Amino acid sequence: MERWTRAMIRYRWAVVAVWAVVFVMSSAAASGLSGLLTNRFTLPGTDTQRAEKILEDRFGQRTTGSFMLVVRTAPGSASQLVPAVDQAAHRAAGVLPSGVVASVQPLSDSVVSARIVSNLEPADAKGYTGTMRAAAGTVPGAQLYVTGQAAIEHDLDPVFKRDLQIGELYIAIPIALVILAFVFGTLAFLLPLIFAAAAIPATLAIIWIFAHYMELSTYLQNLVTLIGLGIAVDYSLLIIYRYREELRRGRERPDAIVATMRTAGRAVVFSGTAVAIGLALMLAMPVPFMRGFGLGGLFIPVVSVICALTLLPVLLYFLAAKLDRVRLLPHSITERREAEENFWARFARAIMRHPVAIAAGTTALLGTLALPVTALELGPGSNKGIPRNLESVQGLDILSGAVGGGALAPTAVVIDTHQPGGADDPQLRAALSRFQDGLHADPEVAAVVFDPSAASSGGQSGGQFVDPSRRYLQLQVIGKSEYGVPASLDFADRLRHDIVTAAGFPTGVSVYAGGGPPSGVDFLDLTYSAFPWLVLGVLLLTYFLLLRAFRSIVLPLKAIILNLLSITAAYGLLVVFFKWGAGSALGLISFDQIEGWIPVFIFAMVFGLSMDYEVFLVSRMREEWDAGHDNETAVVLGLARTGRIVTAAGLVMFAAFMGFVAGSIVGLQQFGFGLAAAIILDVTIIRALLVPSAMKLFGRWNWWLPRNVARVFRVRNSPLAPRARPAADPGGLHG
């Protein structure tokens, strides 16, 4: 590390030039990234995907690429409006590529609906929403709404964008700037922003390359920006504070930078690797849209580490002294805060005077917060937790009132007879009749859309329900409840395991259920069949990485257990504040279910960022132990010299995540609240209370690394030997 850092200083102008070129090229590439991103959502290897494939190939439609025209008039007038609604539907279908009017029918005495199908992905179909509304025009004497999943996505996009902008521009960034200005006390608080301005566009440029070959989510840019800002703050704080410390020891500027990178720089490398392991978990998830976030989660810490090892030493050389001359706080306050005899030293000594009580109390508190996780109810998402003033949502509400909550996202049942003309088989027709009877008998089914004449050769509606080869048939099942709620998910299970079986389809016939509720079931099954194994893999990799970083077999295990405690507590708080409604007073939207992607994202992001803080804190304690201090002194010095850094970094991320909570969409609120809760628990209860008390209890066992284990990991061993407290207390930290 020393030779590397001296080389960066020696060739500092070349380093600046390279990063300037990277910035210009990356910014140009990143500006074209949004056009390559999408909200496509696929579930490979599931019945949902099989049903969608047949619908697209044989019927020219997708369950998620369809639209509904909903027309409401005065009671008793619905049937008279059918011709006018049919005309409006054909006008709208005419501007939608591959659009076909599938049905026009009165749903009640005051509501008429028209269903327009297409073979477009929802990410593509939603772009035609405005054009279809203009083409549909009006129906005299009635209100017309264009709705459907694609239309809802279209209407939600500006809401998402506005909520994210409010969270980032009006909450996260201003609070982050205030915290950084207070922590640094000088214009040096600009260095993390320069760091972020280099690392974030470079990461987005790498993603731009992959976006040509992978389906990546529209919101990946927001995730990279959020994590990139947090990591930039973390690494800048750690390195700049250590640089100031080395200067106070009387080192010259180049030597101070070298000493900083040899210690804090090494911690950054291990920290970045730990963050990458946690976030890259999602790369191995079987759901493609999660893999995209894993890609961003892998590259942002990698690029940030490269930036910290190359650009940051040069920025320290060129700018640190100049920026530190411009003070934002009185000189005496800044110096007093940076003195080793500070609040954190006194705080650490107070904790270690009562380690058993504090360790037991904080563990009990976290356990209590985690208890509600037993009531955690996962769902695939729902249209209930979105603003109700959007046109598409108003149309959905009218549709739900007339037919049932499942009208917008019905279950699509596709029957493959595996032979041309199979739809005409008498046994198949008999099974189909029994199947429809079973559906009508289910308490969750509001309606079954299927023309019996389609099963007979030459039926006039065959194109809608039977493909031209008469090998495939399809039915639409409208549920009474919305697609993501437990009643609908239970119906999907009954459909697949009970109703289909009871129908007695002939041998060789395959029945696939896709669309609304079945796709939700498949999403949850696909995600959580892989998630536990991937978590186990991340825990093992992180243990081995921290074993090498801390040269201890105890500290990595402690770090993992404490991280799991804080994440589980955050899951429990999600239940309390959303399912049990405790967050209503804070403006949070009460909702029974936690969206299924949220626990996965919270685990990946919090586990990575928490390890960031753990590496900063314990690496410094390890350094003090290796310098010859006893266990208690090493812990006090480590907490005194990194406590403010970890707390400030955590508060910046807390502010960033709370920006999501200001939004009006329940999924974003749950996501932001879960992350913010986990981070604030981590930097307060875990790092400030539980870590020092636990390390006091473990004593010299903290630092034990047997010789045979050290040989395997190619690091120096750390024998289990007693160590007396030094006669002279360095820095006066024991008073």
Side-chain angles (χ1 to χ4, degrees), residues 691-714:
V691 166
S693 58
M695 294 186 75
K696 170 68 174 179
L697 293 174
F698 294 153
R700 57 197 176 97
W701 290 92
N702 286 311
W703 316 106
W704 179 46
L705 182 65
R707 187 181 302 275
N708 56 340
V709 178
R711 190 179 301 117
V712 171
F713 288 90
R714 303 181 63 145

mmCIF file of all heavy atoms in Angstrom, residues 691-714:
data_model
loop_
_atom_site.group_PDB
_atom_site.id
_atom_site.type_symbol
_atom_site.label_atom_id
_atom_site.label_comp_id
_atom_site.label_asym_id
_atom_site.label_seq_id
_atom_site.Cartn_x
_atom_site.Cartn_y
_atom_site.Cartn_z
ATOM 1 N N VAL A 691 -21.345 -3.439 20.777
ATOM 2 C CA VAL A 691 -19.985 -3.832 20.372
ATOM 3 C C VAL A 691 -18.987 -3.649 21.514
ATOM 4 O O VAL A 691 -18.271 -4.588 21.881
ATOM 5 C CB VAL A 691 -19.545 -3.072 19.103
ATOM 6 C CG1 VAL A 691 -18.036 -3.225 18.883
ATOM 7 C CG2 VAL A 691 -20.287 -3.591 17.887
ATOM 8 N N PRO A 692 -18.884 -2.442 22.120
ATOM 9 C CA PRO A 692 -17.881 -2.310 23.195
ATOM 10 C C PRO A 692 -18.172 -3.178 24.414
ATOM 11 O O PRO A 692 -17.244 -3.718 25.027
ATOM 12 C CB PRO A 692 -17.934 -0.818 23.544
ATOM 13 C CG PRO A 692 -19.187 -0.292 22.950
ATOM 14 C CD PRO A 692 -19.501 -1.149 21.786
ATOM 15 N N SER A 693 -19.454 -3.339 24.774
ATOM 16 C CA SER A 693 -19.743 -4.173 25.946
ATOM 17 C C SER A 693 -19.414 -5.632 25.666
ATOM 18 O O SER A 693 -18.856 -6.331 26.531
ATOM 19 C CB SER A 693 -21.208 -4.021 26.348
ATOM 20 O OG SER A 693 -22.072 -4.372 25.284
ATOM 21 N N ALA A 694 -19.735 -6.106 24.470
ATOM 22 C CA ALA A 694 -19.397 -7.496 24.124
ATOM 23 C C ALA A 694 -17.894 -7.701 24.089
ATOM 24 O O ALA A 694 -17.380 -8.738 24.559
ATOM 25 C CB ALA A 694 -20.018 -7.851 22.774
ATOM 26 N N MET A 695 -17.168 -6.732 23.543
ATOM 27 C CA MET A 695 -15.713 -6.883 23.454
ATOM 28 C C MET A 695 -15.060 -6.831 24.832
ATOM 29 O O MET A 695 -14.020 -7.446 25.060
ATOM 30 C CB MET A 695 -15.136 -5.824 22.527
ATOM 31 C CG MET A 695 -15.584 -6.021 21.085
ATOM 32 S SD MET A 695 -14.823 -4.911 19.911
ATOM 33 C CE MET A 695 -13.179 -5.608 19.791
ATOM 34 N N LYS A 696 -15.647 -6.094 25.747
ATOM 35 C CA LYS A 696 -15.156 -6.115 27.128
ATOM 36 C C LYS A 696 -15.351 -7.501 27.735
ATOM 37 O O LYS A 696 -14.460 -8.039 28.407
ATOM 38 C CB LYS A 696 -15.906 -5.060 27.943
ATOM 39 C CG LYS A 696 -15.675 -5.140 29.435
ATOM 40 C CD LYS A 696 -14.253 -4.780 29.811
ATOM 41 C CE LYS A 696 -14.105 -4.735 31.340
ATOM 42 N NZ LYS A 696 -12.721 -4.420 31.746
ATOM 43 N N LEU A 697 -16.512 -8.111 27.480
ATOM 44 C CA LEU A 697 -16.792 -9.437 28.035
ATOM 45 C C LEU A 697 -15.893 -10.509 27.430
ATOM 46 O O LEU A 697 -15.442 -11.424 28.124
ATOM 47 C CB LEU A 697 -18.268 -9.792 27.807
ATOM 48 C CG LEU A 697 -19.286 -8.949 28.585
ATOM 49 C CD1 LEU A 697 -20.700 -9.295 28.161
ATOM 50 C CD2 LEU A 697 -19.116 -9.162 30.090
ATOM 51 N N PHE A 698 -15.637 -10.421 26.119
ATOM 52 C CA PHE A 698 -14.793 -11.421 25.463
ATOM 53 C C PHE A 698 -13.328 -11.273 25.851
ATOM 54 O O PHE A 698 -12.564 -12.245 25.762
ATOM 55 C CB PHE A 698 -14.925 -11.314 23.938
ATOM 56 C CG PHE A 698 -16.283 -11.664 23.419
ATOM 57 C CD1 PHE A 698 -16.752 -11.116 22.241
ATOM 58 C CD2 PHE A 698 -17.110 -12.537 24.105
ATOM 59 C CE1 PHE A 698 -18.008 -11.428 21.745
ATOM 60 C CE2 PHE A 698 -18.362 -12.867 23.622
ATOM 61 C CZ PHE A 698 -18.821 -12.305 22.449
ATOM 62 N N GLY A 699 -12.923 -10.084 26.248
ATOM 63 C CA GLY A 699 -11.544 -9.866 26.680
ATOM 64 C C GLY A 699 -10.526 -10.205 25.600
ATOM 65 O O GLY A 699 -10.718 -9.888 24.420
ATOM 66 N N ARG A 700 -9.453 -10.905 26.008
ATOM 67 C CA ARG A 700 -8.392 -11.206 25.040
ATOM 68 C C ARG A 700 -8.824 -12.230 23.993
ATOM 69 O O ARG A 700 -8.164 -12.387 22.968
ATOM 70 C CB ARG A 700 -7.143 -11.686 25.772
ATOM 71 C CG ARG A 700 -7.353 -12.888 26.668
ATOM 72 C CD ARG A 700 -6.201 -13.051 27.650
ATOM 73 N NE ARG A 700 -6.428 -14.135 28.582
ATOM 74 C CZ ARG A 700 -5.939 -15.367 28.441
ATOM 75 N NH1 ARG A 700 -5.194 -15.660 27.386
ATOM 76 N NH2 ARG A 700 -6.199 -16.301 29.326
ATOM 77 N N TRP A 701 -9.977 -12.911 24.233
ATOM 78 C CA TRP A 701 -10.456 -13.851 23.212
ATOM 79 C C TRP A 701 -10.844 -13.118 21.919
ATOM 80 O O TRP A 701 -10.909 -13.731 20.859
ATOM 81 C CB TRP A 701 -11.674 -14.628 23.736
ATOM 82 C CG TRP A 701 -11.315 -15.615 24.814
ATOM 83 C CD1 TRP A 701 -11.317 -15.393 26.157
ATOM 84 C CD2 TRP A 701 -10.886 -16.960 24.626
ATOM 85 N NE1 TRP A 701 -10.920 -16.526 26.825
ATOM 86 C CE2 TRP A 701 -10.647 -17.515 25.905
ATOM 87 C CE3 TRP A 701 -10.677 -17.760 23.506
ATOM 88 C CZ2 TRP A 701 -10.213 -18.805 26.093
ATOM 89 C CZ3 TRP A 701 -10.253 -19.068 23.691
ATOM 90 C CH2 TRP A 701 -10.021 -19.573 24.967
ATOM 91 N N ASN A 702 -11.113 -11.799 22.031
ATOM 92 C CA ASN A 702 -11.415 -11.028 20.827
ATOM 93 C C ASN A 702 -10.348 -11.188 19.750
ATOM 94 O O ASN A 702 -10.645 -11.197 18.554
ATOM 95 C CB ASN A 702 -11.511 -9.528 21.166
ATOM 96 C CG ASN A 702 -12.778 -9.172 21.900
ATOM 97 O OD1 ASN A 702 -13.864 -9.550 21.499
ATOM 98 N ND2 ASN A 702 -12.643 -8.425 22.996
ATOM 99 N N TRP A 703 -9.093 -11.284 20.203
ATOM 100 C CA TRP A 703 -7.967 -11.127 19.280
ATOM 101 C C TRP A 703 -7.294 -12.446 18.949
ATOM 102 O O TRP A 703 -6.206 -12.455 18.355
ATOM 103 C CB TRP A 703 -6.947 -10.152 19.899
ATOM 104 C CG TRP A 703 -7.629 -8.968 20.504
ATOM 105 C CD1 TRP A 703 -7.810 -8.716 21.842
ATOM 106 C CD2 TRP A 703 -8.284 -7.909 19.815
ATOM 107 N NE1 TRP A 703 -8.524 -7.555 22.027
ATOM 108 C CE2 TRP A 703 -8.826 -7.033 20.791
ATOM 109 C CE3 TRP A 703 -8.465 -7.601 18.463
ATOM 110 C CZ2 TRP A 703 -9.523 -5.886 20.461
ATOM 111 C CZ3 TRP A 703 -9.165 -6.462 18.141
ATOM 112 C CH2 TRP A 703 -9.683 -5.617 19.122
ATOM 113 N N TRP A 704 -7.953 -13.534 19.271
ATOM 114 C CA TRP A 704 -7.317 -14.846 19.116
ATOM 115 C C TRP A 704 -7.461 -15.357 17.686
ATOM 116 O O TRP A 704 -8.549 -15.422 17.124
ATOM 117 C CB TRP A 704 -7.958 -15.841 20.092
ATOM 118 C CG TRP A 704 -7.390 -17.230 19.982
ATOM 119 C CD1 TRP A 704 -6.083 -17.586 19.920
ATOM 120 C CD2 TRP A 704 -8.132 -18.452 19.924
ATOM 121 N NE1 TRP A 704 -5.947 -18.945 19.837
ATOM 122 C CE2 TRP A 704 -7.195 -19.510 19.828
ATOM 123 C CE3 TRP A 704 -9.494 -18.761 19.942
ATOM 124 C CZ2 TRP A 704 -7.587 -20.844 19.753
ATOM 125 C CZ3 TRP A 704 -9.876 -20.079 19.876
ATOM 126 C CH2 TRP A 704 -8.924 -21.112 19.777
ATOM 127 N N LEU A 705 -6.334 -15.717 17.107
ATOM 128 C CA LEU A 705 -6.308 -16.391 15.804
ATOM 129 C C LEU A 705 -5.242 -17.477 15.871
ATOM 130 O O LEU A 705 -4.036 -17.182 15.860
ATOM 131 C CB LEU A 705 -5.978 -15.415 14.671
ATOM 132 C CG LEU A 705 -5.989 -16.039 13.262
ATOM 133 C CD1 LEU A 705 -7.407 -16.494 12.889
ATOM 134 C CD2 LEU A 705 -5.459 -15.058 12.224
ATOM 135 N N PRO A 706 -5.659 -18.754 15.979
ATOM 136 C CA PRO A 706 -4.687 -19.845 16.102
ATOM 137 C C PRO A 706 -3.720 -19.882 14.922
ATOM 138 O O PRO A 706 -4.050 -19.473 13.806
ATOM 139 C CB PRO A 706 -5.571 -21.104 16.134
ATOM 140 C CG PRO A 706 -6.923 -20.619 16.536
ATOM 141 C CD PRO A 706 -7.048 -19.240 15.991
ATOM 142 N N ARG A 707 -2.526 -20.423 15.179
ATOM 143 C CA ARG A 707 -1.477 -20.439 14.159
ATOM 144 C C ARG A 707 -1.900 -21.215 12.914
ATOM 145 O O ARG A 707 -1.645 -20.785 11.779
ATOM 146 C CB ARG A 707 -0.202 -21.053 14.752
ATOM 147 C CG ARG A 707 1.017 -20.984 13.836
ATOM 148 C CD ARG A 707 2.223 -21.648 14.491
ATOM 149 N NE ARG A 707 2.537 -21.017 15.756
ATOM 150 C CZ ARG A 707 3.296 -19.919 15.870
ATOM 151 N NH1 ARG A 707 3.798 -19.352 14.787
ATOM 152 N NH2 ARG A 707 3.565 -19.407 17.065
ATOM 153 N N ASN A 708 -2.558 -22.371 13.097
ATOM 154 C CA ASN A 708 -2.937 -23.173 11.920
ATOM 155 C C ASN A 708 -3.991 -22.459 11.062
ATOM 156 O O ASN A 708 -3.980 -22.550 9.836
ATOM 157 C CB ASN A 708 -3.436 -24.557 12.346
ATOM 158 C CG ASN A 708 -4.589 -24.489 13.322
ATOM 159 O OD1 ASN A 708 -4.801 -23.459 13.964
ATOM 160 N ND2 ASN A 708 -5.332 -25.578 13.462
ATOM 161 N N VAL A 709 -4.930 -21.724 11.691
ATOM 162 C CA VAL A 709 -5.924 -20.959 10.929
ATOM 163 C C VAL A 709 -5.254 -19.792 10.216
ATOM 164 O O VAL A 709 -5.540 -19.507 9.048
ATOM 165 C CB VAL A 709 -7.046 -20.451 11.857
ATOM 166 C CG1 VAL A 709 -8.046 -19.611 11.073
ATOM 167 C CG2 VAL A 709 -7.749 -21.610 12.538
ATOM 168 N N ALA A 710 -4.337 -19.125 10.916
ATOM 169 C CA ALA A 710 -3.628 -17.998 10.307
ATOM 170 C C ALA A 710 -2.843 -18.450 9.086
ATOM 171 O O ALA A 710 -2.754 -17.726 8.085
ATOM 172 C CB ALA A 710 -2.699 -17.357 11.332
ATOM 173 N N ARG A 711 -2.277 -19.659 9.148
ATOM 174 C CA ARG A 711 -1.489 -20.171 8.016
ATOM 175 C C ARG A 711 -2.386 -20.375 6.799
ATOM 176 O O ARG A 711 -2.001 -20.061 5.673
ATOM 177 C CB ARG A 711 -0.819 -21.481 8.419
ATOM 178 C CG ARG A 711 0.230 -21.977 7.407
ATOM 179 C CD ARG A 711 0.875 -23.281 7.872
ATOM 180 N NE ARG A 711 1.531 -23.109 9.161
ATOM 181 C CZ ARG A 711 1.178 -23.752 10.271
ATOM 182 N NH1 ARG A 711 0.158 -24.601 10.265
ATOM 183 N NH2 ARG A 711 1.826 -23.545 11.403
ATOM 184 N N VAL A 712 -3.610 -20.858 7.022
ATOM 185 C CA VAL A 712 -4.537 -21.079 5.910
ATOM 186 C C VAL A 712 -4.899 -19.759 5.231
ATOM 187 O O VAL A 712 -4.962 -19.674 4.002
ATOM 188 C CB VAL A 712 -5.816 -21.790 6.413
ATOM 189 C CG1 VAL A 712 -6.874 -21.835 5.316
ATOM 190 C CG2 VAL A 712 -5.486 -23.195 6.891
ATOM 191 N N PHE A 713 -5.114 -18.696 6.026
ATOM 192 C CA PHE A 713 -5.535 -17.410 5.475
ATOM 193 C C PHE A 713 -4.360 -16.471 5.190
ATOM 194 O O PHE A 713 -4.571 -15.314 4.825
ATOM 195 C CB PHE A 713 -6.540 -16.741 6.418
ATOM 196 C CG PHE A 713 -7.885 -17.405 6.425
ATOM 197 C CD1 PHE A 713 -8.167 -18.435 7.316
ATOM 198 C CD2 PHE A 713 -8.868 -17.030 5.521
ATOM 199 C CE1 PHE A 713 -9.402 -19.061 7.319
ATOM 200 C CE2 PHE A 713 -10.106 -17.651 5.508
ATOM 201 C CZ PHE A 713 -10.374 -18.671 6.405
ATOM 202 N N ARG A 714 -3.141 -16.984 5.396
ATOM 203 C CA ARG A 714 -1.921 -16.249 5.038
ATOM 204 C C ARG A 714 -1.847 -14.892 5.724
ATOM 205 O O ARG A 714 -1.616 -13.856 5.100
ATOM 206 C CB ARG A 714 -1.833 -16.089 3.522
ATOM 207 C CG ARG A 714 -1.880 -17.431 2.799
ATOM 208 C CD ARG A 714 -1.757 -17.261 1.326
ATOM 209 N NE ARG A 714 -0.458 -16.686 0.971
ATOM 210 C CZ ARG A 714 0.223 -17.007 -0.123
ATOM 211 N NH1 ARG A 714 -0.262 -17.903 -0.948
ATOM 212 N NH2 ARG A 714 1.357 -16.431 -0.391
#
